[in-house]
Amino acid sequence: MLSDVMEDYLKAIYQLQRDHDERVKTSEIAEALDVTSPTVTSMLEKLGDRGLVDREKYRGVTLTDEGETVALEVVRHHRLLEAYLTEHLDYDWSEVHAEADRLEHHISEDFEQRVADALGEPTVDPHGSPIPSADLEPPERPDGKSVTEFSEGDVVVVEEVADRDPEVLSYLADHGVEPGVELEIREVAPFGMVTARSSASEEDVSLPEGVAHHVRVSPPAEVES
């Protein structure tokens, strides 16, 4: 049986692989989990011995098939819990990440399925992140790009918002920047600030570089002539 910490590592590696589509460096895992690099190295040795990660010295790690299956199950639990907490227990979307982190390791498969049934088998969580299916097949990678990659005048739709920073999530929600909302890019400053008009709030919102980096959007909408 795996410990909660081992599952946290596998989930972090899975998410980093999805973000960068390459082998994951020790330093990236350390930053994601807020631990030291020697601590990561020690844990990767244990995960490697159990056949859950493939390690290459100086080249980082990837998940094995078995490791990916474990990670997908934890991710499914986490994102279903986020959706349930938001929809049925009136949690704010800025609160659910930490709560789901605490619960994801401790629910049964029967409980997981009951949650999925109660939600109508959702495909994304409240932040727009894809939920792995019950058969634990990796979900398709979203097409979204950072809002910082678009230009003034582009019209885009928010696809996904990173869920790890409650303050960022609260700021975005207060300014009408959530999955499904259309944004018109008004200004892109040289230092990374993006100003956009939200279709939800019908107001301009300033997204500092550190905030804008958390917002992924779909390509510009086609304008009908």
Side-chain angles (χ1 to χ4, degrees), residues 7 37 55-56 69 75-76 87 95 97 100 104 106-107 111 135 153 170 179 182 187-188 225:
E7 290 184 349
S37 290
R55 300 177 64 216
E56 288 188 27
T69 297
V75 170
R76 176 172 168 80
E87 293 188 25
E95 303 173 311
H97 179 72
E104 64 192 15
H106 307 295
I107 66 173
F111 185 88
D135 60 9
S170 293
E182 190 173 83
E187 182 180 2
V188 180
S225 58

Side-chain angles (χ1 to χ4, degrees), residues 63-80:
L63 297 175
T64 63
D65 289 344
E66 183 180 356
E68 183 178 65
T69 297
V70 174
L72 284 166
E73 183 170 28
V74 179
V75 170
R76 176 172 168 80
H77 287 180
H78 182 96
R79 293 177 179 172
L80 282 172

Side-chain angles (χ1 to χ4, degrees), residues 9-17 24 29 44 53 61 63:
Y9 270 78
L10 295 173
K11 182 178 73 168
I13 295 168
Y14 168 80
Q15 291 171 330
L16 289 166
Q17 279 186 191
V24 179
I29 302 171
L44 293 180
V53 299
V61 300
L63 297 175

